[in-house]
């Protein structure tokens, strides 16, 4: 598909800047060199240092966002914003941006951060500055990784040369935009979008382009022109010939270059490798933006090169190898932290798998709050789980006032997903698992398809929805983006079907929405039926007996004629505003139905203190509680519930025949399309808009009416966990 989607940031949120960074710096600071302040970040570790060099000043050190979290678990990492970018100063004049200035800046940052020696990793222009540092101060550099070298080694083709001239009225196309005059005439934003497309020209690179455009937004024509002129020796500045510099480099060098680089052809990489005596790794089919477009391969290359530079240990740690037929059956289970319904169904499937293979050992790679449930159930949480970045926190940071664009939020979670995949990859490399089970582990599924050589196990993939769908508020841009993401997934599956040994839809064929993946793409239900097995719904629990329900109600002080309304918004922190809206409607609802009592459950990631402005003692029919591990028992014992539009909670209520109101998050495609479609099939639930829920009288009336509604739901199957386990257990 030929799309321009992703060139321009969508409205409402700065796309290149996630609110939550999965690996914040341990120390930040600035160093002044010659009146220019340079901002740096330090990620501390008792290991040798990797210095991630700045690139062209059009963007700042955020270009390393996929490398920092991974490398910082194994090495001490230092980054800094190059002069003219980010938090660093922007001196005027071409002379301020000569290669020698950037090299001197790197030394100043090393001194300020207490870095005696470092492995330098340069990308694009940063390769030239790394070579300068290594040639001038060889004792400070242990090695160089040169990615997409953009160095003045020989003349560029005419179409790639920078121009200071321009003709008014002439249309500007292609590389003619690389033009100082055009920038000053108002063409800089157009050039930035063009340059982003040139750096990331590979299909399905919308997010990389979008990040680049957002990061480059604060450039000015004069400032950016100075950075180019200083590097090229224009406007009275001096350019340095790099051939003698390369000859003066004595440290090991790894050169990495994409074969389809449209900024600097791969010949640049070959020449750098030859002149420095370094090794060359060509990434076939890859463009210029290697660190962002191929983060997993980039991370592996840097780590492997850094490891080779370390002196061998005299005494290696002992290892054990077990003969294959003597190895116990082992599974690694990945359970999504976005809502606790995933882990409940995953525990049910795990129980059924152990019934089929009693010797099966299961390790769980999971995040809070999932780990709380797992530990309470006596399961083994892999120690590497502590390295996982919090997906729940990211989603919570993306939500505001019951509004969450789930598609865009997941796109902006790319930094977290790369970090978590790298953790998974290390775990799966160190331990020979027979099967990996991923319950909506999007990072593993995506990056395994992008790096199929990393597969060492059988892989079972579970999901309860298929297909990214655009919200109307996103307009044509979001429609194009969701279609592009769907197209990439379809292409991945067509090329590498062996990546998933089982694709399991948690539901039935009719539960899949009857919609299209996008223009020119197949129907979602049609494609899903062709590519998935169906387990039926997996509730993950057995409804409590009447005696237990009666005991729960008695513990809450309820009489036989009282009505219990449970209010919950799931396991993440998204939903605080809905809890407040329901609490505001309690007095009105109790006036209409005095027998109504409300149990508001905050869950594991919402502090009940945030709701204390609605004190319980002022309303005897209201109780506010924190995390209830057995919440599903209370849902089964209630007379009605008010919930968000999450599938798991809604299906639990459906399975137990409870009346309920669900209020989908605004702009959440799954809660507005996939979940209502499934609930309509079961004839379950009453959907209410958040706008109506904000009116206490409307919400109170709906609660009272729903409490007395007759329930005629379609029965929910009870053998889903067993069917899913049968599909997975075959892989053992």
């Amino acid at each position: 598909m030929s799309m321009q989607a992703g060139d321009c940031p969508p409205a409402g949120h700065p796309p290149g800047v996630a609110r939550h960074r999965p690996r914040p710096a341990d120390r930040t600071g600035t160093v002044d060199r010659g009146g220019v302040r340079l901002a740096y970040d330090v990620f501390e570790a008792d290991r040798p240092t990797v210095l991630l060099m700045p690139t062209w000043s059009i963007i700042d050190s955020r270009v390393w966002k996929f490398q920092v979290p991974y490398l910082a678990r194994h090495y001490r990492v230092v980054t800094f914003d190059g002069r003219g970018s980010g938090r660093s100063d922007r001196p005027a004049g071409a002379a301020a941006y000569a290669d020698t200035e950037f090299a001197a800046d790197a030394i100043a940052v090393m001194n300020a951060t207490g870095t005696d020696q470092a492995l330098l990793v340069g990308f694009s222009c940063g390769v030239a500055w790394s070579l300068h540092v290594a040639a001038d101060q060889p004792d400070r550099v242990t090695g160089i990784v040169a990615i997409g070298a953009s160095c003045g080694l020989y003349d560029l083709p005419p179409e790639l040369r920078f121009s200071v001239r321009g003709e008014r009225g002439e249309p500007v196309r292609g590389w003619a935009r690389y033009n100082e005059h055009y920038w000053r005439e108002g063409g800089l934003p157009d050039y930035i979008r063009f340059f982003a497309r040139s750096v990331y020209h590979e299909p399905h690179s919308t997010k990389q382009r979008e990040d680049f455009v957002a990061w480059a937004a604060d450039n000015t024509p004069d400032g950016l022109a100075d950075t180019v002129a200083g590097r090229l020796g224009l406007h009275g500045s001096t350019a340095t010939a790099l051939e003698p510099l390369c000859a003066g480099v004595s440290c090991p060098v790894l050169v990495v270059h994409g074969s389809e680089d449209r900024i600097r052809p791969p010949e640049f990489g070959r020449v750098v490798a030859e002149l420095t005596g370094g090794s060359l790794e060509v990434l076939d089919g890859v463009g210029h933006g290697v660190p962002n477009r191929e983060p997993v391969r980039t991370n592996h290359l840097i780590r492997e090169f850094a490891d080779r530079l370390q002196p061998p240990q005299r005494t290696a740690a002992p290892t054990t190898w077990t003969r294959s037929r003597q190895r116990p059956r082992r599974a690694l289970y990945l359970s999504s932290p976005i809502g606790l319904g995933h882990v409940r169904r995953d525990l049910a499937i795990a129980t059924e798998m152990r019934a089929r293979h009693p010797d099966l050992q299961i390790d769980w790679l999971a995040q809070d709050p999932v780990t709380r449930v797992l530990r309470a159930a006596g399961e083994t949480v892999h120690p590497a789980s502590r390295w996982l970045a919090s997906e729940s926190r990211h989603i919570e940071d993306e939500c505001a006032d019951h509004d969450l664009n789930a598609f865009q939020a997941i796109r902006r979670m790319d930094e977290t997903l790369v970090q978590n995949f790298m953790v998974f990859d290390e775990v799966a490399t160190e331990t020979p698992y027979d099967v990996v089970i991923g319950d909506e582990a999007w990072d593993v599924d995506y990056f395994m398809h992008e790096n199929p050589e990393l597969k060492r196990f059988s892989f079972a993939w579970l999901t309860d929805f298929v297909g990214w769908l655009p919200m109307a508020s996103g307009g044509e841009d979001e429609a194009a983006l969701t279609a592009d993401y769907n197209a990439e997934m379809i292409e991945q599956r067509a090329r590498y079907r062996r990546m998933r040994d089982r694709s399991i839809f948690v539901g039935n064929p009719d539960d899949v929405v009857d919609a299209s993946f996008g223009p020119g793409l197949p129907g979602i239900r049609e494609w899903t039926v062709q590519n998935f097995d169906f387990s039926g719904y997996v509730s993950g629990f057995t409804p409590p007996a009447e005696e237990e329900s009666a005991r729960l109600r008695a513990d809450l002080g309820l009489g036989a004629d009282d009505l219990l309304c449970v209010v919950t918004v799931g396991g993440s922190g998204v939903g605080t505003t809905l809890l407040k809206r329901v609490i505001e409607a309690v007095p009105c609802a109790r006036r209409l139905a005095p027998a109504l009592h409300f149990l508001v459950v905050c869950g594991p990631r919402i502090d009940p203190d945030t709701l204390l402005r609605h004190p319980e003692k002022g309303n005897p029919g209201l109780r506010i509680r924190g995390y209830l591990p057995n919440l599903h028992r209370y849902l089964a014992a209630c007379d009605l519930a008010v919930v968000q539009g999450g599938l798991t909670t809604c299906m639990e209520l459906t399975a137990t025949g409870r009346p309920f109101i669900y209020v989908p998050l605004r702009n959440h495609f799954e809660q507005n399309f996939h979940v209502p479609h499934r609930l309509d099939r079961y004839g379950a639930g009453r959907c209410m808009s958040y706008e109506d829920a904000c009116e206490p009288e409307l919400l109170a009336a709906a609660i009272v009416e729903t409490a007395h509604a007759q329930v005629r739901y379609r029965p929910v199957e009870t053998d889903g966990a067993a069917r899913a386990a049968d599909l997975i257990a075959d892989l053992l």
Side-chain angles (χ1 to χ4, degrees):
M1 300 178 66
S2 177
M3 292 189 175
Q4 302 303 312
D7 288 351
C8 300
H13 183 76
V17 187
R19 291 186 175 103
H20 169 58
R21 299 301 301 275
R23 179 59 169 94
D26 297 304
R27 180 159 58 97
T28 64
T30 60
V31 59
D32 187 300
R33 192 186 76 78
V36 178
R37 289 178 306 165
L38 305 164
Y40 60 79
D41 293 320
V42 183
F43 304 83
E44 296 287 6
D46 188 21
R47 295 291 308 277
T49 299
V50 175
L51 173 58
L52 299 173
M53 295 284 284
T55 184
W56 180 21
S57 301
I58 194 170
I59 56 175
D60 57 34
S61 58
R62 283 174 293 182
V63 72
W64 297 114
K65 71 175 187 175
F66 293 144
Q67 282 66 56
V68 166
Y70 172 68
L71 294 175
R73 286 195 292 108
H74 302 283
Y75 287 91
R76 180 176 182 261
V77 175
V78 176
T79 67
F80 71 100
D81 292 340
R83 54 178 57 211
S85 72
R87 298 161 294 158
S88 294
D89 285 347
R90 291 160 168 75
Y97 296 94
D99 288 343
T100 51
E101 295 294 335
F102 284 94
D105 290 346
I107 295 297
V109 169
M110 291 177 70
N111 293 338
T113 58
T115 304
D116 296 328
Q117 286 187 318
L119 164 65
L120 306 187
V121 182
F123 166 49
S124 195
C125 297
V127 173
W129 307 328
S130 301
L131 295 171
H132 271 275
V133 175
D136 295 342
Q137 300 203 30
D139 58 323
R140 306 291 297 270
V141 181
T142 59
I144 294 175
V145 178
I147 304 172
S150 179
C151 309
L153 291 165
Y154 58 84
D155 283 342
L156 286 167
E159 66 271 12
L160 296 180
R161 295 176 188 169
F162 185 64
S163 174
V164 297
R165 298 183 301 276
E167 299 295 333
R168 292 182 182 275
E170 291 292 323
V172 181
R173 301 186 180 91
W175 279 102
R177 298 176 174 93
Y178 191 39
N179 183 319
E180 182 177 342
H181 175 83
Y182 180 60
W183 297 352
R184 291 194 169 101
E185 289 295 308
L188 182 58
D190 176 53
Y191 169 75
I192 289 172
R193 290 190 293 270
F194 165 77
F195 189 68
R197 292 195 301 272
S198 301
V199 172
Y200 304 109
H201 61 79
E202 300 94 327
H204 314 300
S205 297
T206 59
K207 183 57 167 63
Q208 290 83 359
R209 297 173 200 153
E210 192 176 283
D211 281 352
F212 192 101
V213 171
W215 295 339
D218 60 354
N219 280 283
T220 64
D222 289 343
L224 198 61
D226 282 345
T227 69
V228 179
R231 192 172 73 249
L232 299 181
L234 304 175
H235 301 328
S237 61
T238 302
T240 305
L242 290 181
E243 287 87 341
L245 282 177
C246 289
V249 172
S250 57
C251 64
V253 176
L254 169 65
V255 179
V256 181
H257 216 102
S259 68
E260 303 299 323
D261 193 327
R262 294 181 181 176
I263 306 303
R264 292 294 183 267
E267 178 68 12
F268 273 61
R270 186 189 63 77
V271 172
V272 171
E274 288 180 355
L275 292 176
T276 61
S279 57
L280 174 64
E281 171 98 5
V282 176
L283 304 184
D284 198 19
V286 180
H288 187 65
V290 173
N292 301 118
R293 195 59 188 88
E294 299 297 334
V296 173
R297 184 60 182 158
T298 301
N299 290 347
H300 281 158
L301 288 171
I302 296 173
R303 166 84 188 282
E304 291 163 5
F305 184 73
D307 288 350
R308 290 199 298 270
L309 298 179
Q310 303 310 309
Q313 296 182 354
R314 288 191 174 185
T315 304
T319 60
T320 301
W321 181 85
T322 304
R323 191 167 182 259
S324 62
R325 280 180 286 178
Q326 292 180 261
R327 295 174 188 172
R329 290 182 174 89
R330 301 192 68 164
L332 182 65
Y333 215 128
L334 317 171
S335 186
S336 172
I338 310 300
L340 290 178
H342 295 278
V343 67
R344 194 149 47 244
R345 76 185 180 202
D346 293 335
L347 283 169
I349 293 171
T351 298
E352 293 286 349
M353 289 179 63
R354 289 185 176 115
R356 289 151 180 76
H357 295 288
D359 64 333
L360 176 63
Q361 298 179 12
I362 300 178
D363 295 335
W364 297 79
L365 190 62
Q367 307 164 36
D368 181 80
V370 170
T371 49
R372 303 189 207 183
V373 179
L374 293 172
R375 291 191 175 103
E379 295 288 337
T380 300
V381 176
H382 196 288
S385 297
R386 70 186 187 276
W387 298 114
L388 295 173
S390 175
E391 296 175 26
S392 293
R393 182 176 173 184
H394 172 88
I395 294 297
E396 291 159 7
D397 288 346
E398 291 278 339
C399 185
D401 197 24
H402 207 71
D403 192 328
L404 173 65
N405 189 310
F407 170 68
Q408 295 290 357
I410 291 175
R411 292 184 78 229
R412 286 191 284 266
M413 198 163 64
D414 54 354
E415 189 174 355
T416 293
L417 295 179
V418 171
Q419 174 173 343
N420 291 350
F421 176 79
M422 300 308 299
V423 173
F424 160 79
D425 180 58
E426 288 183 338
V427 169
T429 300
E430 292 168 358
T431 303
Y433 288 104
D434 295 284
V435 63
V436 171
I437 306 160
D439 187 347
E440 294 190 6
W442 300 104
D443 51 341
V444 174
D445 186 64
Y446 178 81
F447 287 111
M448 287 296 297
H449 281 86
E450 291 293 282
N451 302 270
E453 67 277 5
L454 300 181
K455 188 184 179 196
R456 307 172 184 86
F457 40 76
S458 295
F459 182 42
W461 166 254
L462 289 85
T463 185
D464 53 34
F465 81 92
V466 176
W468 308 102
L469 295 174
M471 298 301 299
S473 59
E476 294 181 0
D477 286 345
E478 187 165 302
L481 286 172
T482 53
D484 187 58
Y485 271 57
N486 289 332
E488 182 177 30
M489 180 267 296
I490 291 170
E491 292 166 13
Q492 283 181 329
R493 296 299 304 133
R495 175 61 182 88
Y496 288 108
R497 295 187 65 83
R498 64 183 175 84
M499 285 298 101
R500 293 187 201 161
D501 299 278
R502 289 286 186 276
S503 296
I504 302 171
F505 185 86
V506 183
N508 300 295
D510 288 343
D511 293 327
V512 183
V513 294
D514 190 14
S516 171
F517 282 117
L521 298 175
I524 295 176
R525 185 181 298 172
E526 167 198 3
W527 186 88
T528 304
V529 168
Q530 294 172 355
N531 288 273
F532 278 77
D533 294 308
F534 294 84
S535 67
Y537 190 72
V538 181
S539 63
F541 75 100
T542 302
E546 291 185 10
E547 295 79 6
E548 182 180 353
S549 294
R551 186 169 61 254
L552 288 174
R553 293 172 67 91
D555 290 343
L556 293 171
L558 300 178
D561 296 328
D562 289 327
L563 299 174
L564 173 62
C565 177
V566 174
V567 185
T568 180
V569 290
S572 74
V574 176
T576 303
T577 55
L578 178 59
L579 296 182
K580 292 178 179 179
R581 300 294 85 79
V582 177
I583 292 172
E584 290 169 356
V586 167
C588 182
R590 283 179 53 79
R591 285 195 298 270
L592 296 173
L596 263 175
H597 293 258
F598 289 80
L599 175 64
V600 174
V601 182
C602 295
R605 294 185 63 84
I606 297 176
D607 185 352
D609 289 344
T610 61
L611 306 177
L612 286 182
R613 66 187 184 89
H614 308 280
E616 296 181 29
K617 63 182 181 181
N619 193 333
L622 172 65
R623 294 175 178 83
I624 299 176
R625 297 292 181 266
Y627 173 48
L628 289 179
N630 57 345
L631 173 62
H632 58 287
R633 302 290 184 189
Y634 287 88
L635 290 173
C638 72
D639 295 287
L640 80 152
V642 180
V643 299
Q644 252 178 212
L647 178 64
T648 302
T649 304
C650 291
M651 287 300 293
E652 286 177 1
L653 292 163
T654 302
T656 54
R658 301 294 91 191
F660 65 96
I661 296 171
Y662 67 100
V663 186
L665 286 163
R666 292 178 294 185
N667 291 308
H668 192 303
F669 74 94
E670 186 183 1
Q671 293 191 10
N672 282 274
F673 298 123
H674 292 279
V675 175
H677 168 77
R678 191 179 300 219
L679 294 178
D680 286 347
R681 281 221 326 116
Y682 285 90
R686 173 175 179 172
C687 186
M688 190 171 191
S689 72
Y690 181 66
E691 288 72 21
D692 287 345
C694 287
E695 298 292 334
E697 294 80 8
L698 284 177
L699 180 56
I703 289 172
V704 172
E705 183 179 333
T706 303
H708 297 94
Q710 293 295 315
V711 170
R712 297 184 180 87
Y713 301 160
R714 174 184 295 186
V716 178
E717 57 267 61
T718 58
D719 62 344
R723 290 164 61 185
D726 283 337
L727 291 167
I728 300 170
D730 281 349
L731 304 179
L732 293 165

